[in-house]
Amino acid sequence: MDLKSKKKVIGKVLLIFIFISPFYITNAQQTPLSPISYWVFTPYIYNPAIVGSKDFLSIGVNAAFQGNSNTQLLSGNTRISKTKSGYFSSPDIVEFKNTGIGGSIFRDINGISNNIGISASFSYQIPLTTRKLSFLSFGISLKGVYNTLDNDSVGPAHSFKKTFYPDFDIGIYFYGTSFFAGLSSTNILGNPWKSDTLEIFKIPVSRQYFFTAGFKILLSKPINLVLEPSVLIVASDSTIRKISDNINPVIRLYLEDFCIGTCFSSGGKISFFTQYRYPKFFVGAYYELAKKTAYFKNTPLIEFTLGINIQPDKSRFSNHSHW
Amino acid sequence: MKIFFKITLFLILTIILLSSGINGHDIYSLGPDNSLLGIRDDTTNLKRFIGVESFKLTILPPSSGVQFYKDGIVFLSLSKYEKEMSPAQISFGTAEAYYAAVTDSVLGKHTIFSPFSSFSYPCEAMTFSKDFNTIYFTKIPKKEKKEKIFIAKVSANSKNQMELVPEIAPLDFCTGNYNYSHPTLSSDEKMLVFASDREGSIGGMDLFVSRFEGGKWSVPENLGKQINTFRNEFFPFLDKDNNLYFSSDGLPGDGGYDIFTSKFNGSGWDKPINLTDRINSKDDDIAFTINKTDGKTAFFTRRQKSVKGDMQLYMVTLRQEVADLKIHSLSYVFNGMPVPVKSLLVASREDQPSEKDSINTKPLVEVIKKEESKVPENAAGLKKKPDKVTISKTEPAVKQAEAKVMTEKPSITAPSEQKNVVIYRIQFLTSNNHKNQKEIILNGKSYNPYEYFYLGAYRYTIGEFTTLLPAVELQKICRQSGYPQAFIVAFKNNARSLDPKLFK
């Protein structure tokens, strides 16, 4: 079997795996959890500086369903470009700007709290080399969230409490051909109920901090085999866990249009994710096995993502989008 | 009975005619100038002489094709492809010119074309001087919408690294609110053919020629209604014999833009001929270019007539079968033997200044022009049907020796021992490294190269003459036989001399 055939088989197996596995997982006992797969699939949600870091418009859906808790996230981002008529004998040229834009709409039902939000993100990229192969990017995301609390679960003081609150995220991101690092903070304004004396039923919103850094190690160029070890550190103002519990080492392996990876946590969780990119759309799944403790049963988490890459490569250089 | 006889006779004649067509080379016949004019009207036969295959290289706008450069091609690519990292992992990058060697239809490693300044202009729309130190290219100046022709020179920067330095202003004749693009230089660098919609255009883009006279480019002349139509003619290319290739959607063709060739007749160009559906298709066939060094490889681009305008590069090669014939370049296949042009000899002297040891060329030019006029036309084999020509710069000497050749002994064996003796040799190769070149074969004659070291480079010559006239003849043979850059060098007491008097 030649390499091309092998890759086709691998692709089919992974694709079947991605689509079938959620049905196994949904039979398991579930616990409420916020979606975290956007850390993997749509990182520009937690760091607006990443918005528009690809040369194509991408729209994605992340969704998690677990009992009476579920979350859906619809997001998109693109790099601003302009089509120029160019040379007389040449097709039009796509000229990229140093600006990226993005946005998202999300709905997050987490136990007693129901959040519906919308965000708009902007980034500005400063190329660090003549040939624009690395850049430093700054980003900001403005958002508004409408929160309601389930009146059956909260006391009379918060019954039918409805709150709209604005917030914003900021981020900085360095991108190189074999190294990347980013730092961001989300929900800068924090919880809108700060002055509330009854903090038992606070809106589950707090300022969060994300730091990510990693390397890309080329293992084989002919088959585009790349290993990407990285780390994602997540902390929040309300973090009560040990600092080490916030460190998530991540390893990804890319093979052409496939990606498979795992995320370790010293908190005892272990996760796997897979993703496959077609020229014009991508699919992915994220699984997490929680640690068995007195409070949490050994229940897996499943989230999946589906996305469309509109105009895969505006430069017309390749039909295949990049990661 | 008579009818039966007639039918039988008709069938016999038909079989004879058909069988003559089946028998490969038998159908092939040379024209008076060894051309294959009969063949190029016949696609089936053309297939026997040239191969046309798609080439694995993405054409990136604003380029529409590639251009030959040194031992490879120059083309636009995305800068992220220059890195060792998988391009699928690199988000950004910009369009940039690269060059790579082409070996056995495979593109070699990408090398940045202009390392110290970005160069991202259409690669097919540029042309090089013989020494590759001057580049004429097309770009749209800032704050303008029309493309113009610019010059860039290769020079050493402060760190003694070679750098491309573009001129700030376009060529003098690029005036008005018109497009000037796709420049192509003649082999003597005295003519610049380009496409423009300037004043004097018959319609759309037309082909114009400007001549280098008195140190500047002349006012462009339209190539006339024989070549230009009321529609577009562009992508001109001049091969080493100054035959013209271009694309037109106004001349009769297969649809869209077709590629045509027009033979250089010494002062202008003949009526253009379609390169047949061996090259052309119903889509746009554009950006034809031939390797001027070996003449055996060409590229062109086929552009879909869709909105996206997807482009596919094609490589044209001279088939092995032609080795049995008297053809050693694609120019011959399409246009036959070149027509001698005296002005070519005149101008080619001026490529010598690249060595910075240039002599005062003007008197030399005049002298050679005068001497050239005395040379019998058949002396260099131009009108005479040439003998088998076997030239190879790369084949091992053993293989060359298999050819039945006659070794020409140097006319003077020990010049160094004679005082005040002037020797003329024909320099055909310059190299930074020593070459183990034992012999070259021109027109069935074997020549033993003479090597000398001068200004930091190894230089290789053939022939030794005490007078200029036979040197001119040999120079002409060299130029017609795969060494277009060959020129005469003079030695006085076995030392290279630049004295202009020696060339009078």
Side-chain angles (χ1 to χ4, degrees):
Chain A
M1 188 185 281
D2 62 4
L3 187 64
K4 208 170 182 179
S5 307
K6 278 182 184 173
K7 287 195 309 193
K8 275 186 181 173
V9 171
I10 293 168
K12 284 176 184 172
V13 170
L14 276 177
L15 205 57
I16 291 166
F17 181 60
I18 287 167
F19 278 115
I20 289 178
S21 53
F23 297 103
Y24 289 104
I25 305 297
T26 48
N27 290 330
Q29 191 176 353
Q30 298 175 18
T31 56
L33 278 171
S34 295
I36 53 173
S37 62
Y38 68 81
W39 295 357
V40 173
F41 299 125
T42 49
Y44 56 85
I45 298 297
Y46 72 79
N47 189 342
I50 301 174
V51 160
S53 63
K54 309 291 181 187
D55 289 348
F56 54 88
L57 168 61
S58 174
I59 294 174
V61 176
N62 298 63
F65 300 96
Q66 292 191 302
N68 61 352
S69 297
N70 59 77
T71 303
Q72 299 88 42
L73 172 67
L74 173 67
S75 61
N77 81 117
T78 187
R79 192 177 171 199
I80 299 292
S81 63
K82 183 183 170 186
T83 303
K84 288 175 65 178
S85 57
Y87 291 83
F88 181 84
S89 57
S90 160
D92 292 346
I93 310 166
V94 176
E95 187 180 87
F96 290 102
K97 305 291 181 187
N98 292 332
T99 312
I101 57 167
S104 68
I105 300 171
F106 58 90
R107 178 173 174 269
D108 183 13
I109 298 172
N110 187 359
I112 59 170
S113 178
N114 185 354
N115 289 309
I116 296 173
I118 186 167
S119 74
S121 307
F122 308 91
S123 72
Y124 185 77
Q125 295 118 14
I126 302 169
L128 300 178
T129 59
T130 311
R131 306 195 202 295
K132 299 183 179 177
L133 292 171
S134 64
F135 62 89
L136 189 63
S137 179
F138 301 90
I140 185 167
S141 184
L142 307 173
K143 58 189 178 185
V145 181
Y146 183 70
N147 175 266
T148 56
L149 291 175
D150 182 357
N151 65 321
D152 290 337
S153 304
V154 297
H158 296 299
S159 185
F160 301 107
K161 182 95 178 187
K162 294 174 182 174
T163 308
F164 174 81
Y165 60 95
D167 216 329
F168 70 97
D169 312 329
I170 56 170
I172 183 169
Y173 191 70
F174 168 78
Y175 186 98
T177 54
S178 55
F179 173 75
F180 59 90
L183 180 66
S184 63
S185 178
T186 60
N187 308 322
I188 301 286
L189 299 180
N191 198 300
W193 288 9
K194 277 177 185 169
S195 59
D196 199 299
T197 52
L198 296 170
E199 293 188 342
I200 300 168
F201 300 109
K202 282 178 70 171
I203 297 174
V205 171
S206 63
R207 187 181 298 165
Q208 286 188 302
Y209 305 95
F210 293 84
F211 173 78
T212 183
F215 292 92
K216 291 176 187 287
I217 302 164
L218 182 66
L219 302 178
S220 169
K221 194 165 186 177
I223 57 171
N224 290 318
L225 185 64
V226 174
L227 183 69
E228 184 189 288
S230 64
V231 65
L232 175 67
I233 301 173
V234 187
S236 74
D237 285 349
S238 61
T239 297
I240 54 170
R241 294 186 295 174
K242 288 187 296 182
I243 291 175
S244 59
D245 289 348
N246 301 325
I247 299 171
N248 303 284
V250 182
I251 293 179
R252 295 178 205 229
L253 188 69
Y254 299 92
L255 173 66
E256 292 284 14
D257 294 323
F258 310 112
C259 171
I260 191 162
T262 183
C263 178
F264 305 98
S265 170
S266 56
K269 292 182 289 183
I270 185 166
S271 63
F272 302 94
F273 52 89
T274 59
Q275 198 174 1
Y276 182 79
R277 282 176 179 263
Y278 284 94
K280 291 190 176 178
F281 71 94
F282 61 89
V283 291
Y286 182 97
Y287 319 88
E288 185 177 273
L289 289 168
K291 187 180 179 182
K292 189 175 181 181
T293 67
Y295 303 100
F296 295 99
K297 293 178 181 176
N298 189 2
T299 52
L301 162 73
I302 171 66
E303 296 176 10
F304 61 88
T305 185
L306 179 68
I308 304 168
N309 296 331
I310 297 170
Q311 204 173 348
D313 190 336
K314 288 182 180 177
S315 66
R316 293 177 178 166
F317 197 76
S318 167
N319 284 329
H320 287 265
S321 58
H322 44 79
W323 290 98
Chain B
M1 192 65 183
K2 279 185 180 177
I3 292 171
F4 178 75
F5 178 74
K6 282 180 181 176
I7 291 171
T8 309
L9 191 64
F10 174 76
L11 286 173
I12 291 168
L13 287 172
T14 306
I15 290 166
I16 290 169
L17 283 171
L18 284 174
S19 61
S20 68
I22 294 165
N23 185 15
H25 298 156
D26 291 348
I27 195 171
Y28 150 78
S29 62
L30 292 173
D33 58 354
N34 251 12
S35 74
L36 295 174
L37 295 175
I39 289 171
R40 63 182 176 185
D41 291 332
D42 186 331
T43 307
T44 308
N45 284 307
L46 204 54
K47 279 182 184 172
R48 296 183 177 130
F49 296 93
I50 59 170
V52 181
E53 288 178 4
S54 59
F55 193 80
K56 197 176 177 184
L57 177 66
T58 303
I59 300 298
L60 184 66
S63 257
S64 296
V66 300
Q67 192 57 271
F68 283 98
Y69 176 74
K70 294 186 176 174
D71 58 348
I73 54 173
V74 59
F75 51 90
L76 279 191
S77 181
L78 288 181
S79 57
K80 64 182 180 180
Y81 281 77
E82 78 181 69
K83 288 290 173 187
E84 279 306 305
M85 177 53 63
S86 164
Q89 296 287 337
I90 302 175
S91 287
F92 283 127
T94 183
E96 192 65 45
Y98 293 83
Y99 74 89
V102 180
T103 310
D104 297 331
S105 303
V106 176
L107 200 62
K109 189 183 176 187
H110 293 200
T111 307
I112 192 81
F113 179 65
S114 178
F116 302 100
S117 56
S118 182
F119 190 95
S120 57
Y121 308 110
C123 289
E124 82 289 352
M126 60 182 179
T127 186
F128 304 95
S129 61
K130 276 184 193 170
D131 58 8
F132 296 102
N133 284 336
T134 306
I135 301 167
Y136 294 77
F137 65 99
T138 308
K139 80 167 187 178
I140 301 174
K142 280 184 180 175
K143 298 179 182 176
E144 285 190 37
K145 290 185 176 177
K146 301 285 184 177
E147 51 207 81
K148 303 282 192 277
I149 299 169
F150 285 74
I151 293 183
K153 298 267 187 189
V154 177
S155 62
N157 63 16
S158 56
K159 294 178 181 176
N160 210 25
Q161 296 160 317
M162 300 314 284
E163 189 177 15
L164 204 60
V165 184
E167 296 283 330
I168 297 168
L171 294 182
D172 289 344
F173 60 72
C174 296
T175 56
N177 188 28
Y178 302 110
N179 284 304
Y180 296 82
S181 63
H182 304 144
T184 178
L185 267 178
S186 62
S187 53
D188 63 356
E189 300 174 18
K190 289 289 183 183
M191 291 189 296
L192 189 76
V193 175
F194 60 92
S196 177
D197 55 357
R198 77 192 302 273
E199 206 170 69
S201 168
I202 294 168
M205 295 288 272
D206 275 9
L207 301 188
F208 290 80
V209 61
S210 175
R211 297 171 202 280
F212 196 71
E213 295 166 346
K216 62 177 185 179
W217 291 104
S218 68
V219 175
E221 302 163 25
N222 191 299
L223 290 192
K225 289 183 178 175
Q226 189 161 252
I227 287 174
N228 292 317
T229 68
F230 67 97
R231 297 183 74 97
N232 292 320
E233 282 73 37
F234 48 29
F235 296 103
F237 172 76
L238 292 174
D239 66 19
K240 67 183 177 62
D241 300 325
N242 287 343
N243 299 313
L244 177 66
Y245 302 81
F246 63 98
S247 293
S248 169
D249 64 344
L251 293 167
D254 295 337
Y257 286 95
D258 273 10
I259 299 167
F260 295 82
T261 182
S262 180
K263 185 170 181 168
F264 187 61
N265 57 26
S267 57
W269 288 272
D270 292 342
K271 187 181 177 184
I273 296 172
N274 190 301
L275 288 189
T276 77
D277 60 5
R278 183 73 181 125
I279 300 285
N280 292 316
S281 68
K282 59 181 172 51
D283 289 313
D284 292 341
D285 301 288
I286 53 177
F288 190 87
T289 181
I290 299 178
N291 186 343
K292 287 189 181 183
T293 306
D294 68 3
K296 293 175 181 172
T297 315
F299 282 100
F300 72 96
T301 304
R302 184 161 294 159
R303 185 173 63 194
Q304 304 291 320
K305 285 197 292 187
S306 62
V307 179
K308 275 187 77 178
D310 289 339
M311 294 181 282
Q312 172 64 53
L313 188 66
Y314 284 85
M315 187 180 191
V316 182
T317 50
L318 202 58
R319 283 198 187 280
Q320 188 59 39
E321 288 91 318
V322 300
D324 300 333
L325 305 171
K326 301 171 184 64
I327 306 157
H328 52 76
S329 78
L330 288 167
S331 300
Y332 278 27
V333 172
F334 295 122
N335 287 296
M337 283 286 284
V339 172
V341 189
K342 294 181 176 99
S343 62
L344 292 182
L345 183 65
V346 171
S348 59
R349 299 298 310 150
E350 297 206 344
D351 71 292
Q352 292 186 52
S354 63
E355 295 186 0
K356 292 185 179 177
D357 54 0
S358 169
I359 51 183
N360 182 357
T361 54
K362 195 171 181 185
L364 176 66
V365 165
E366 289 168 359
V367 167
I368 293 178
K369 215 172 180 182
K370 200 174 173 183
E371 296 289 344
E372 169 70 2
S373 64
K374 294 176 186 172
V375 179
E377 280 191 317
N378 62 352
L382 292 175
K383 290 201 168 177
K384 183 185 166 191
K385 203 170 173 181
D387 295 323
K388 183 173 180 177
V389 179
T390 312
I391 301 164
S392 172
K393 293 177 190 172
T394 53
E395 283 182 1
V398 176
K399 204 167 183 180
Q400 289 179 356
E402 289 172 7
K404 289 178 182 176
V405 295
M406 183 176 69
T407 304
E408 183 188 89
K409 293 178 181 175
S411 56
I412 296 165
T413 52
S416 59
E417 293 171 5
Q418 301 176 37
K419 290 192 174 180
N420 295 324
V421 172
V422 176
I423 302 298
Y424 298 96
R425 294 186 171 101
I426 315 303
Q427 185 167 317
F428 66 96
L429 182 66
T430 302
S431 171
N432 290 327
N433 304 313
H434 170 73
K435 302 269 183 189
N436 192 19
Q437 185 126 11
K438 292 180 178 173
E439 63 173 355
I440 66 168
I441 301 164
L442 304 176
N443 273 6
K445 289 183 181 178
S446 172
Y447 296 86
N448 296 320
Y450 170 77
E451 179 194 89
Y452 72 102
F453 192 76
Y454 183 68
L455 292 178
Y458 294 92
R459 294 151 205 276
Y460 297 86
T461 68
I462 57 168
E464 288 184 353
F465 306 100
T466 53
T467 58
L468 196 56
L469 185 59
V472 171
E473 286 181 40
L474 184 56
Q475 176 189 248
K476 195 187 292 180
I477 293 170
C478 284
R479 289 181 176 182
Q480 290 164 355
S481 306
Y483 298 93
Q485 75 281 20
F487 61 93
I488 301 168
V489 288
F491 293 80
K492 194 172 183 180
N493 297 330
N494 209 26
R496 174 80 182 269
S497 174
L498 307 177
D499 185 357
K501 291 175 185 171
L502 297 180
F503 295 91
K504 287 185 177 175

